[in-house]
Amino acid sequence: MDKRIPVTIISGFLGAGKTTLINQLLQSDQACNITVLVNDFGAVNIDTDLIIKREREVMELSNGCVCCSIQSDMVAQLHTMFTSDNPPEYLLIETSGVAQPGRIASVFGYPQLSRFARLDSVVTLIDVANIDGLSDEAHHLVRSQIEAADLIIATKADLVDPEARRAIYDRWLFADLPALEATHGAVPVSVLLDQRRGNLEQISAPETALPNQFVSAHWSSDKSVSYKRLQASLKRMSGALYRAKGIVYCDEFPTERIVFNKVGARIDFAKSGAWDGVPRTAIVGIGYANAITAEQIRHELEVAQGPG
């Protein structure tokens, strides 16, 4: 399988709700064995009952998570972390509220990091209640944070009426950029993270119940899938399907397992070794309930079978 460490970057301007979201995640049942890299422990109000050991740069949590502070040379810090005797199973990076996540995302293309880790997604939070009141300088920064995102989480949406929210989304977001609304950091873990992907038996519908605005679908087949047709199917579902993952039995590489992951516009296909047993495609997708049905997702995946 693809043994590289998956990474998610959490971005957003000051006050957008990054700390609230991370704390919700840390207290979920699915947070075990996650390492969180944050800017400043003082800004992360982690429940004291969750902390079992705290040193200057590391906090060990009772649920198996570890929190580390971001140091000046992040690339060197990441390389040390990835090559240690106890590397993280999943890495979550919280950027500074005034950071451009695109710059942080770019470091995972460096050879010294790409061998050990893969960037799964950049998630940007926007404060719907306050985004229109930003200064010109902050306006440009938030634009850059949105442009780098694979997924947008709109926070404090409950403080703005539906018509005003739609107008804000029209002004700030791209039409095909996946976005969802969250209150008090309540986002399904299956939306944010993609832990332990690569094992065929673990490719299944999300265990966490998704809000009514989402649908999930699982599709599998013993027949091979055309890469070109799969790409075409994904293009037809663009804007409606914001997350998908699985293992692909691919026409172009029939002897190798292909691990597939999609978040927003970011699509990753990675070879993960020879098949152990009968080749088989298994994909799970999550989409907007008002834009696509589970049956449509399964149909689009099914038509990807056959020669390109």
Side-chain angles (χ1 to χ4, degrees), residues 111-182:
Q112 64 264 47
L113 298 183
S114 61
R115 292 173 51 204
F116 306 103
R118 63 175 184 270
L119 178 63
D120 271 2
S121 63
V122 176
V123 179
T124 294
L125 280 62
I126 62 170
D127 178 351
V128 179
N130 297 296
I131 193 170
D132 278 344
L134 296 173
S135 66
D136 288 343
E137 183 179 356
H139 181 110
H140 293 304
L141 176 60
V142 171
R143 280 287 181 196
S144 71
Q145 293 174 342
I146 291 172
E147 289 171 358
D150 300 299
L151 173 67
I152 296 293
I153 297 178
T155 63
K156 306 178 188 177
D158 56 315
L159 303 180
V160 182
D161 66 74
E163 184 176 349
R165 292 202 304 270
R166 285 193 293 271
I168 290 171
Y169 300 152
D170 287 342
R171 286 193 295 272
W172 284 90
L173 305 183
F174 307 111
D176 59 348
L177 180 59
L180 61 95
E181 296 177 345

Side-chain angles (χ1 to χ4, degrees), residues 17 20-25 125 153 155 182-188 192:
T20 300
L21 182 144
I22 289 173
N23 275 316
Q24 287 282 349
L25 172 61
L125 280 62
I153 297 178
T155 63
T183 303
H184 305 304
V187 179
L192 293 176

Side-chain angles (χ1 to χ4, degrees), residues 281-299:
T281 295
I283 297 175
V284 62
I286 302 174
Y288 291 105
N290 63 356
I292 199 167
T293 66
E295 290 73 19
Q296 288 172 325
I297 295 174
R298 284 190 286 267
H299 172 73

Side-chain angles (χ1 to χ4, degrees), residues 135-258:
S135 66
D136 288 343
E137 183 179 356
H139 181 110
H140 293 304
L141 176 60
V142 171
R143 280 287 181 196
S144 71
Q145 293 174 342
I146 291 172
E147 289 171 358
D150 300 299
L151 173 67
I152 296 293
I153 297 178
T155 63
K156 306 178 188 177
D158 56 315
L159 303 180
V160 182
D161 66 74
E163 184 176 349
R165 292 202 304 270
R166 285 193 293 271
I168 290 171
Y169 300 152
D170 287 342
R171 286 193 295 272
W172 284 90
L173 305 183
F174 307 111
D176 59 348
L177 180 59
L180 61 95
E181 296 177 345
T183 303
H184 305 304
V187 179
V189 176
S190 56
V191 172
L192 293 176
L193 305 181
D194 190 14
Q195 298 182 74
R196 302 177 183 84
R197 70 184 178 91
N199 292 330
L200 185 61
E201 62 274 12
Q202 294 177 337
I203 299 300
S204 59
E207 295 180 3
T208 304
L210 294 177
N212 291 333
Q213 66 193 99
F214 304 114
V215 296
S216 64
H218 179 269
W219 178 80
S220 62
S221 175
D222 293 335
K223 296 181 180 179
S224 61
V225 171
S226 162
Y227 174 79
K228 291 182 180 179
R229 289 190 179 186
L230 180 56
Q231 288 282 59
S233 292
L234 295 174
K235 185 176 181 180
R236 286 193 294 270
M237 291 188 286
S238 176
L241 181 75
Y242 69 84
R243 188 140 177 79
K245 64 179 180 178
I247 297 174
V248 179
Y249 173 26
C250 190
D251 285 339
E252 290 79 356
F253 306 97
T255 63
E256 297 188 74
R257 290 160 44 105
I258 305 297

Side-chain angles (χ1 to χ4, degrees), residues 43-146:
V44 181
N45 185 22
I46 295 176
D47 190 337
T48 55
D49 292 336
L50 191 62
I51 301 171
I52 59 173
K53 184 179 179 182
R54 179 170 184 153
E55 297 179 354
R56 194 167 71 93
E57 295 177 344
V58 177
M59 286 191 296
E60 296 180 18
L61 307 182
S62 59
N63 63 354
C65 296
V66 175
C67 282
C68 309
S69 62
I70 294 179
Q71 301 166 21
S72 57
D73 190 344
M74 188 179 67
V75 174
Q77 181 182 3
L78 288 170
H79 184 267
T80 299
M81 183 183 298
F82 296 151
T83 57
S84 69
D85 294 334
N86 186 30
E89 290 191 18
Y90 200 103
L91 179 64
L92 186 72
I93 299 177
E94 182 216 359
T95 70
S96 163
V98 294
Q100 295 185 353
R103 294 181 178 177
I104 297 176
S106 67
V107 306
F108 291 96
Y110 294 1
Q112 64 264 47
L113 298 183
S114 61
R115 292 173 51 204
F116 306 103
R118 63 175 184 270
L119 178 63
D120 271 2
S121 63
V122 176
V123 179
T124 294
L125 280 62
I126 62 170
D127 178 351
V128 179
N130 297 296
I131 193 170
D132 278 344
L134 296 173
S135 66
D136 288 343
E137 183 179 356
H139 181 110
H140 293 304
L141 176 60
V142 171
R143 280 287 181 196
S144 71
Q145 293 174 342
I146 291 172

